[in-house]
Amino acid sequence: MELDVLKEKIYMHNKGEKEFIQAVDEVLESIRPALDRHHRLLEENIIERLCEPERVIMFRVPWVDDNGTVQVNRGYRVEFNSAIGPYKGGLRFHPSVDLSVIKFLGFEQIFKNALTGLPMGGGKGGSDFDPHGKSDAEVMRFCQSFMMELYRHIGPFTDVPAGDIGVGAREIGYLYGTYKKLTNTSSWVLTGKGLSYGGSLVRKEATGFGLLYFVRAMLEEEGKSLEGLKCVISGSGNVAIYAAKKAIELGMKVLAMSDSNGYVYDEDGIDIDRIIEIKEVRRERIREYLDKDHPHARYQEGSKGIWNVSCDIALPCATQNELDLDNAKTLKENGCILIAEGANMPCTQAAQKFIHDNGILYGPAKAANAGGVAVSGLEMSQNSIRLSWSFEEVDERLKKIMKDIYKTTSKTAEAYGHRGDLVLGANIAGFMKVAEAMMAQGIV
Ligand code: NDP
Ligand code: 2IT
């Protein structure tokens, strides 16, 4: 079957799954040149096989809140593709989570993980549970209930979850404790664990640091450095915070950051330790940033307004479809030269097209934010050999992985006649690796 007919069939089959179809469409459009060159891909129906998850698990998560009321949420784990290794990918706890969101994330994770060069398949999971405003005890009871079902589906050689939006060190701790109790094994089945029980140094920082290493590689290709550039970073969670920290360390000025309510702009440059105190330690709102120590800071309601702040580099690090066509146009008018994605699928398809057509350098999520899962892979390696590497050693490995991902994506784009198109490069490079592994393993 030719690609357009296949696309129609797949979109009908997944009708209503908006985010999933968006993610699939981006990949299928960019791999056209690979399909023209390698006929076996269509002959063996790799496309349809890749777009269908190997397994989808949906389950009830009942838990008791602090008032003694029984609450029910829905849990998910999509085990998408295991061609190159155990399913690997995060868990997201956010009220917007549904099957479409988890499938889009799981689908993208397949190619991202392939790009890291480590043996990890793709998966994703989560729940529509909202951790905001919940007590520690409520979060713990929810995590225990979630793992009471999930534990039977995962394992160090089967499926290795980690964090994502709403799932950080606290949640991973509760999930891990429950897994251990239920299975009576210390098999380190999750990544992003605490350092005292098998976690890896640099995992917390990895996605944000990796994003900046990738951006540095993109600019080096243009003969430019990061020193003195102005940057805007959306979000103020795990990815955004450590992207900002590394950006500042590399000589950039971070002008604005946001949360789901609004954004702060500080012409003196964002004080990242203050953001860490507010968001990571105290779990408060970003508007708390305004105080006597930051006299020139302003707060604006509405997180999307952040893209009106004039900058050289924009790093969307919050959530999917947070940067639309109008935002991309404004960024261009204000002189932005580079957009790189810390979040998964943060740019709408229309924004992506505008960025591509208007010569803005563009680092797509699958490549640019792969540092997090790459260090998760290194956490698994350390757990397997019962050793812990130093911060410097893991950071060096992360730098090399991000540089290699940049080289692979840019070389692949060039090899297919689309120099500089890192979306095409990342999608084809990730896709070809997984497709070859699938073809070698027969129809399973
Ligand atoms: P966190 O939960 O730590 O932080 C998320 C941030 O984004 C918060 O500031 C949150 O605001 C904001 N946010 C969440 N949803 C929305 C929304 N609908 N509109 C506006 N702002 C929103 O998550 P992470 O930092 O881990 O994840 C951020 C992004 O990076 C996600 O797309 C994730 O998939 C991706 N990613 C994460 C990796 C990781 O290792 N953690 C690895 C690779 C990608 P508030 O504080 O108000 O909730
Ligand atoms: O989107 C992502 O790559 C993540 N949330 C990290 C997944 C992982 O397994 O570390």
Side-chain angles (χ1 to χ4, degrees), residues 37-319:
R37 204 175 281 187
H38 308 282
H39 295 150
R40 257 187 89 192
L41 295 167
L42 284 177
E43 282 158 22
E44 299 203 14
N45 202 3
I46 289 295
I47 305 289
E48 232 180 314
R49 287 161 63 194
L50 246 171
C51 291
E52 192 62 26
E54 289 176 18
R55 191 174 301 110
V56 174
I57 302 147
M58 283 171 68
F59 49 99
R60 179 178 67 191
V61 189
W63 56 283
V64 182
D65 70 17
D66 287 347
N67 298 323
T69 306
V70 180
Q71 305 279 352
V72 179
N73 286 93
R74 187 170 292 167
Y76 302 84
R77 186 71 184 167
V78 173
E79 297 182 335
F80 224 116
N81 192 296
S82 61
I84 65 172
Y87 310 107
K88 180 83 196 89
L91 298 171
R92 176 179 291 191
F93 293 168
H94 192 272
S96 64
V97 162
D98 61 16
L99 187 59
S100 170
V101 167
I102 298 298
K103 279 175 70 179
F104 114 67
L105 290 162
F107 182 72
E108 296 213 324
Q109 199 82 47
I110 304 169
F111 310 104
K112 182 196 304 193
N113 293 2
L115 286 173
T116 65
L118 300 169
M120 299 180 288
K124 200 85 183 189
S127 174
D128 55 1
F129 173 76
D130 185 359
H132 288 110
K134 303 287 191 300
S135 68
D136 275 356
E138 288 176 321
V139 170
M140 181 174 76
R141 288 195 293 272
F142 175 81
C143 288
Q144 289 172 338
S145 178
F146 186 87
M147 190 51 91
M148 246 193 276
E149 173 60 33
L150 188 67
Y151 86 96
R152 72 194 79 240
H153 306 288
I154 62 177
F157 300 106
T158 312
D159 185 354
V160 183
D164 194 82
I165 291 178
V167 178
R170 175 182 60 172
E171 290 75 17
I172 293 290
Y174 295 149
L175 291 163
Y176 184 67
T178 312
Y179 180 86
K180 205 157 50 62
K181 177 109 181 163
L182 290 167
T183 60
N184 196 27
T185 61
S186 272
S187 65
W188 300 295
V189 70
L190 300 165
T191 61
K193 298 183 293 299
L195 297 175
S196 56
Y197 60 95
S200 173
L201 287 160
V202 195
R203 176 61 190 90
K204 181 172 73 172
E205 296 84 356
T207 314
F209 279 20
L211 175 65
L212 266 295
Y213 298 150
F214 192 84
V215 169
R216 179 165 64 183
M218 287 172 75
L219 283 179
E220 270 171 12
E221 179 77 16
E222 306 291 310
K224 295 189 175 112
S225 96
L226 292 168
E227 187 73 40
L229 296 184
K230 287 178 295 170
C231 174
V232 163
I233 301 179
S234 66
S236 48
N238 174 264
V239 179
I241 284 175
Y242 293 96
K245 217 173 165 99
K246 184 55 79 177
I248 295 164
E249 199 184 303
L250 294 175
M252 295 169 81
K253 191 173 192 179
V254 178
L255 288 176
M257 293 182 76
S258 59
D259 64 15
S260 52
N261 292 109
Y263 71 95
V264 285
Y265 170 81
D266 190 344
E267 64 182 55
D268 297 330
I270 291 281
D271 170 358
I272 192 60
D273 291 331
R274 176 78 180 132
I275 297 279
I276 290 175
E277 174 66 21
I278 298 166
K279 297 296 296 185
E280 196 179 274
V281 181
R282 303 210 318 247
R283 300 178 189 277
E284 287 177 354
R285 307 316 300 158
I286 204 167
R287 70 171 80 89
E288 304 296 325
Y289 184 88
L290 303 193
D291 63 9
K292 62 176 178 10
D293 296 330
H294 306 96
H296 300 116
R298 286 191 282 113
Y299 173 75
Q300 201 75 41
E301 276 294 323
S303 40
K304 275 204 142 205
I306 195 170
W307 306 123
N308 299 327
V309 175
S310 153
C311 62
D312 303 300
I313 293 189
L315 304 176
C317 294
T319 194

